[in-house]
Amino acid sequence: MTILVCGEALVDLVPVHEGPLLSPKLGGGPFNVAVTLGRLGSPVAFLSRVSTDPFGEQILGSLRDAGVDTTWVQRGAEPTTLAMTTLADDGSAQYSFYADGTADRLVADPGQLPDKITALSFGTLSLLYEPGASVYAALLHRAHAAGKLTMLDPNIRPAAIDSPSGDITADGFRARFNTWLPAVDIVKVSEDDSHWLGSGPEGTSVDDWLASGVTAVVMTRGSAGVSVFTASGEISVPGVPVDVVDTIGAGDTVHGALLHFLEEENILTSGALSEMIKEEWERALRFAARAAAITVSRPGADPPWASEAPRD
């Protein structure tokens, strides 16, 4: 049983304290999810195209250090994607991206997946930049049709949409998102993502997503906690009080921690997911919230190790 995380790895250029300096930190939503799963002890592999430049070597090394299987990683001489990060007073982050001609958007279709891949995770820029976005979309539909659990985090980055590098307009992305929903078991969004996806003529709501076939919508609410919406209703847990350094990687940690919980509880199938009861969801969400609290308590996307995030 292996979870395959699909999508980009990049370098976040993060401000250092109050000065003008920027510190390079490895990141990218899917990369952070894979590292979270590996550090927590789940069997996980990473599918992407990673540069052969020095940043690419660091990305591979960090994945391996976290226990992530990198045999699915493709390599290319194109540069690594860069994300320029600015932090607000509350630690929230805004991004601008340098992604023209970078390696991760040129990922090739991996072909047939082995039976040991039981769940797949998708997210962020990999769903936006072509030609890779179409490759991942095709893999998403193919995997779901084969009975594998699928989880998707659109992780909306408005600065990367409606831009020359984005290849798509805002409403075009909303329409594309709606075409993925029948092939998704779990949608993970932030409150801001939900509001953005619900606006415009192509906008849809959580209720629409569930009606399209999604089993569960997990929503992060910052310090207010985490909620899940299913056909049975809403379940919420409070946030964990913590001194926030920055919020980079918090949602990705929730994503990875939730998949880890499902793997540990042998719930990595659509059928088992639909049968989860309230108490199981509360345990899963509390664990994800605790893991994210650790991540936001230190700079950059630095998810917890298993010893730091015990389960109930």
Side-chain angles (χ1 to χ4, degrees):
M1 179 184 297
T2 299
I3 300 168
L4 183 63
V5 179
C6 310
E8 81 280 355
L10 51 77
V11 170
D12 287 316
L13 300 176
V14 181
V16 178
H17 303 298
E18 301 297 326
L21 298 179
L22 296 172
S23 174
K25 303 286 185 182
L26 303 183
F31 171 86
N32 295 336
V33 171
V35 169
T36 300
L37 280 160
R39 288 185 176 186
L40 293 176
S42 285
V44 56
F46 189 60
L47 169 64
S48 186
R49 180 179 172 91
V50 173
S51 177
T52 54
D53 67 16
F55 283 142
E57 292 301 317
Q58 292 178 38
I59 286 167
L60 278 189
S62 184
L63 288 166
R64 290 167 178 156
D65 289 345
V68 179
D69 178 358
T70 60
T71 57
W72 292 82
V73 173
Q74 305 162 20
R75 304 301 302 276
E78 307 82 15
T80 298
T81 298
L82 301 179
M84 187 77 73
T85 308
T86 56
L87 300 177
D89 291 341
D90 63 358
S92 61
Q94 298 293 325
Y95 304 89
S96 56
F97 298 96
Y98 298 86
D100 286 334
T102 51
D104 46 41
R105 66 191 302 167
L106 300 178
V107 65
D109 193 302
Q112 184 174 356
L113 300 176
D115 291 342
K116 73 174 184 177
I117 302 294
T118 55
L120 291 90
S121 164
F122 299 84
T124 318
L125 299 183
S126 60
L127 306 172
L128 177 64
Y129 293 141
E130 295 288 5
S134 293
V135 171
Y136 287 121
L139 179 59
L140 168 68
H141 286 279
R142 196 165 72 238
H144 190 266
K148 301 179 187 297
L149 185 83
T150 54
M151 183 169 178
L152 183 145
D153 180 359
N155 208 350
I156 302 300
R157 297 288 181 250
I161 300 173
D162 274 329
S163 73
S165 299
D167 303 327
I168 195 168
T169 64
D171 274 326
F173 185 86
R174 293 182 184 103
R176 180 188 288 179
F177 172 77
N178 293 337
T179 68
W180 300 325
L181 296 174
V184 178
D185 292 299
I186 306 171
V187 170
K188 182 268 159 193
V189 289
S190 68
E191 281 190 301
D192 287 344
D193 292 340
S194 177
H195 295 154
W196 189 93
L197 288 164
S199 62
E202 299 293 340
T204 50
S205 67
V206 170
D207 288 340
D208 296 319
W209 307 344
L210 294 174
S212 296
V214 174
T215 300
V217 177
V218 174
M219 184 179 297
T220 56
R221 303 179 183 276
S223 61
V226 187
S227 300
V228 64
F229 302 84
T230 69
S232 300
E234 177 183 350
I235 301 167
S236 298
V237 300
V240 177
V242 67
D243 292 331
V244 176
V245 175
D246 65 53
T247 62
I248 300 172
D252 305 325
T253 302
V254 168
H255 187 144
L258 179 59
L259 280 175
H260 172 71
F261 180 93
L262 298 178
E263 182 265 323
E264 288 269 289
E265 296 292 320
N266 199 27
I267 307 178
L268 283 183
T269 66
S270 297
L273 184 72
S274 65
E275 294 173 358
M276 283 182 68
I277 62 175
K278 179 181 179 182
E279 288 75 17
E280 287 177 310
W281 272 117
E282 287 175 339
R283 289 173 55 218
L285 298 180
R286 283 197 300 268
F287 174 69
R290 288 198 302 272
I294 295 170
T295 298
V296 303
S297 71
R298 45 206 193 192
D302 187 4
W305 296 83
S307 59
E308 298 176 291
R311 291 177 48 204
D312 288 349

